[in-house]
């Protein structure tokens, strides 16, 4: 090979791998976002660093989500593949792989690990600010408008070595374009909207008691409300 051809090949090689290194997603954050129309919790990744430009950048590889809920809550996959690629690909399914119920170090919570992804699946091209929603969950048996439903917090929640976990790992992870770990933290859960009351009407101060008619405004996902005097 001549010197000129060798230089061209070397430059092309450098440019190719530079594009892989500097033109792919570098960080994502996870979020749980409640859907008041379908009455479910969507689990999504928000692109916070980098973007895709080459076909290799959108290969799904493997990802996992650690879910923490109040103990006794019933967790089910409502839609196991929210993300439908526009490039003619098929969405990959997610599965509840394992769980730990009310472990001794944190008995007020149950833990679920949900996994998905494979190099045979691909995402669309994305950039900072884009959102990829993985799957939807129905979670019942939780009071206070979904309080306590959240993502696993690394360094805060018990690790796999904790008593009662038996080696089960619930940490979050996201890979895209390579096996490099891109997960970079969680955003606050966006839960169901809290009920609101119309201005109080129909107050009757006549004896022997006080009667107040309240008109709560709630979304269609909620059941009948009860009220207590405090």
């Amino acid at each position: 090979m001549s010197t000129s051809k060798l230089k061209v090949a070397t430059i092309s090689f450098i440019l190719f791998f530079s594009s892989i290194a500097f033109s792919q997603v570098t960080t994502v954050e996870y979020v749980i976002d409640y859907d008041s129309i379908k009455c479910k919790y969507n689990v999504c990744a928000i692109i916070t660093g980098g973007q895709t430009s080459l076909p290799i950048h959108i290969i799904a590889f493997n990802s996992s989500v650690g879910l923490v809920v109040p103990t006794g809550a019933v967790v089910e996959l409502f839609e196991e593949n929210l993300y439908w690629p526009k490039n003619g690909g098929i969405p990959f399914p997610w599965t509840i792989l394992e769980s730990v119920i009310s472990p001794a170090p944190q008995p007020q919570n149950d833990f679920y690990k949900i996994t998905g992804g494979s190099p045979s699946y691909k995402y669309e091209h994305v950039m900072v600010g884009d959102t990829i929603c993985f799957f939807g969950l129905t979670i019942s048996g939780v009071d206070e408008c979904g309080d306590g439903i959240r993502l696993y917090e690394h360094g805060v929640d018990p690790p796999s070595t904790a008593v009662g976990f038996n080696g089960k790992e619930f940490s979050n992870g996201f890979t895209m374009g390579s096996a490099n770990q891109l997960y970079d933290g969680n955003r606050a859960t966006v839960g169901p909207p809290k009920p609101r009351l119309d201005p109080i009407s129909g107050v009757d101060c006549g004896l022997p008691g006080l009667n107040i008619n309240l008109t709560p405004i709630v979304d269609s996902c909620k059941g009948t409300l009860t009220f207590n005097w405090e």
Side-chain angles (χ1 to χ4, degrees), residues 2-210:
S2 66
T3 302
S4 60
K5 289 183 178 180
L6 180 60
K7 288 181 178 179
V8 170
T10 301
I11 292 172
S12 298
F13 180 84
I14 293 172
L15 289 175
F16 175 76
F17 281 95
S18 294
S19 67
I20 292 178
F22 297 107
S23 299
Q24 61 183 340
V25 171
T26 55
T27 55
V28 304
E29 293 178 347
Y30 281 0
V31 66
I32 298 175
D33 193 353
Y34 187 74
D35 183 340
S36 296
I37 303 300
K38 293 186 176 180
C39 308
K40 63 183 175 65
Y41 294 84
N42 293 335
V43 180
C44 311
I46 299 173
I47 310 301
T48 56
Q51 63 182 33
T52 59
S53 60
L54 297 176
I56 191 175
H57 296 161
I58 60 175
I59 295 176
F61 286 86
N62 298 310
S63 299
S64 63
V65 172
L67 177 71
V68 183
V69 298
T71 189
V74 179
V75 177
E76 296 179 291
L77 278 173
F78 177 78
E79 291 177 321
E80 65 176 19
N81 44 18
L82 285 179
Y83 187 79
W84 285 80
K86 298 176 183 177
N87 58 13
I90 59 174
F92 58 83
W94 291 74
T95 304
I96 297 179
L97 183 65
E98 56 191 7
S99 62
V100 168
I101 306 301
S102 188
Q106 206 161 300
Q108 72 274 23
N109 290 126
D110 297 340
F111 295 79
Y112 292 85
K113 181 175 184 176
I114 306 168
T115 61
S118 164
S120 61
Y121 296 99
K122 295 180 180 180
Y123 294 106
E124 292 295 324
H125 286 290
V126 293
M127 60 190 302
V128 171
D130 287 344
T131 299
I132 299 172
C133 283
F134 303 138
F135 53 84
L137 296 167
T138 57
I139 304 175
S140 57
V142 180
D143 297 326
E144 303 298 330
C145 297
D147 286 357
I149 296 174
R150 61 180 178 84
L151 294 160
Y152 181 93
E153 289 288 347
H154 296 192
V156 176
D157 290 310
S160 60
T161 55
V163 174
F165 279 76
N166 300 316
K168 294 181 179 179
E169 176 63 60
F170 295 93
S171 59
N172 301 300
F174 181 81
T175 56
M176 178 179 181
S178 73
N180 294 334
Q181 184 55 242
L182 307 179
Y183 168 79
D184 194 41
N186 301 327
R187 297 195 179 185
T189 297
V190 180
K194 296 186 181 298
R196 66 182 179 86
L197 296 175
D198 270 352
I200 294 176
S201 62
V203 178
D204 182 1
C205 297
L207 296 177
L210 175 66

